[in-house]
C-alpha cells in the first residue's frame, strides 16, 4: 500500500483540528459583520466593511506570502531547536519590519485615505479604520504564529485558541456594538 495506517491516523489527527480551526477562523472573521448588520443596518455595515477591508491591506499583502512558505519553513527546522528559534526570530522580525510601517502609515492617514479613495460620504469609516489597522497588525503576527504552530504539528492547539477567542468575542462584540456602534465593534 502507498500509505500506512499510522500515516492515515497522523493525517486525521492533524487535518481534522486544522479544518475545524479554519471553520472557527471563518466565524471569527464574520462575527462583527453579523452583529453590525443585525443591530445597525446595511449602511453602517457597509461603512464598517469599507474600514475593515482597508485595514486588511497590509495583512492581505503579507498573509499570502506567510501562508505560502510558513508551514513548510517551520516544519523543516522543527527538530532543531536552535534553528527553529532562529527561524521564529527572523520571521517575527521580518513581518514586523514590513507590516509596522505600513500599519502606522495607514493609522496616521486613515482620514485622508477614506476621503481620497471613497469620498466624504464615508468619513465615518475613518475612526474604525484606525482601530482595525492596529488589529490587522496584530493579526499578521498571530498569523505567523499560527503558521509556526501548524509547522510544529500543533493544529489542536490552534483550534483550542480559536474556540476560546470565539467564545470571548461574541459577547464582547455584542457589548461593543451596543455601546459604540462600529467603533465599538472595531
Amino acid at each position: 500500500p502507498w500509505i500506512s495506517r499510522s500515516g492515515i491516523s497522523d493525517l486525521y489527527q492533524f487535518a481534522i483540528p486544522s479544518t475545524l480551526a479554519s471553520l472557527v477562523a471563518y466565524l471569527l472573521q464574520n462575527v462583527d459583520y453579523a452583529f453590525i448588520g443585525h443591530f445597525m443596518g446595511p449602511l453602517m455595515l457597509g461603512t464598517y466593511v469599507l474600514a475593515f477591508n482597508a485595514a486588511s491591506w497590509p495583512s492581505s499583502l503579507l498573509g499570502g506570502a506567510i501562508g505560502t512558505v510558513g508551514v513548510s519553513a517551520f516544519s523543516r527546522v522543527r527538530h532543531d531547536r536552535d534553528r527553529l528559534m532562529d527561524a521564529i526570530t527572523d520571521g517575527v522580525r521580518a513581518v514586523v519590519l514590513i507590516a509596522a510601517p505600513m500599519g502606522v502609515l495607514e493609522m496616521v492617514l486613515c482620514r485622508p485615505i477614506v476621503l481620497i479613495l471613497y469620498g466624504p460620504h464615508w468619513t465615518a469609516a475613518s475612526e474604525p479604520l484606525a482601530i482595525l489597522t492596529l488589529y490587522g497588525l496584530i493579526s499578521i503576527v498571530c498569523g505567523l504564529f499560527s503558521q509556526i504552530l501548524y509547522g510544529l504539528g500543533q493544529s489542536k492547539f490552534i483550534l483550542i485558541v480559536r474556540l476560546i477567542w470565539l467564545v470571548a468575542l461574541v459577547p464582547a462584540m455584542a457589548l461593543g456594538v451596543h455601546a459604540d456602534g462600529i467603533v465599538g465593534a472595531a
Side-chain angles (χ1 to χ4, degrees):
W2 57 277
I3 190 162
S4 67
R5 231 178 251 261
S6 67
I8 291 173
S9 175
D10 290 343
L11 178 64
Y12 279 116
Q13 287 180 13
F14 179 82
I16 289 174
S18 177
T19 302
L20 292 172
S22 295
L23 175 64
V24 174
Y26 175 79
L27 294 172
L28 286 165
Q29 287 290 323
N30 290 285
V31 166
D32 47 356
Y33 298 158
F35 276 96
I36 293 168
H38 180 73
F39 292 113
M40 301 188 70
L43 179 61
M44 294 312 292
L45 177 60
T47 304
Y48 181 83
V49 168
L50 183 147
F52 192 93
N53 288 341
S56 299
W57 294 339
S59 62
S60 295
L61 291 171
L62 294 174
I66 293 168
T68 302
V69 300
V71 173
S72 60
F74 293 109
S75 66
R76 283 191 190 133
V77 297
R78 75 184 194 163
H79 298 295
D80 183 339
R81 182 169 168 75
D82 292 334
R83 288 181 64 201
L84 176 62
M85 296 312 291
D86 288 343
I88 292 170
T89 302
D90 291 346
V92 170
R93 182 181 302 127
V95 167
V96 170
L97 285 173
I98 295 169
M102 291 168 51
V104 168
L105 190 61
E106 189 172 22
M107 282 189 277
V108 170
L109 298 174
C110 63
R111 185 170 170 78
I113 287 171
V114 170
L115 288 171
I116 290 168
L117 295 179
Y118 302 106
H121 180 74
W122 297 101
T123 55
S126 299
E127 194 173 354
L129 173 56
I131 298 165
L132 290 167
T133 300
L134 178 60
Y135 165 76
L137 290 174
I138 294 166
S139 74
I140 292 169
V141 175
C142 289
L144 175 64
F145 281 110
S146 289
Q147 296 299 306
I148 293 167
L149 289 168
Y150 279 128
L152 298 176
Q154 298 297 316
S155 59
K156 288 178 188 171
F157 182 75
I158 295 169
L159 174 60
I160 291 167
V161 168
R162 288 183 179 168
L163 285 170
I164 292 168
W165 184 6
L166 183 62
V167 168
L169 181 63
V170 169
M173 188 60 63
L175 291 171
V177 169
H178 180 71
D180 202 12
I182 62 173
V183 175

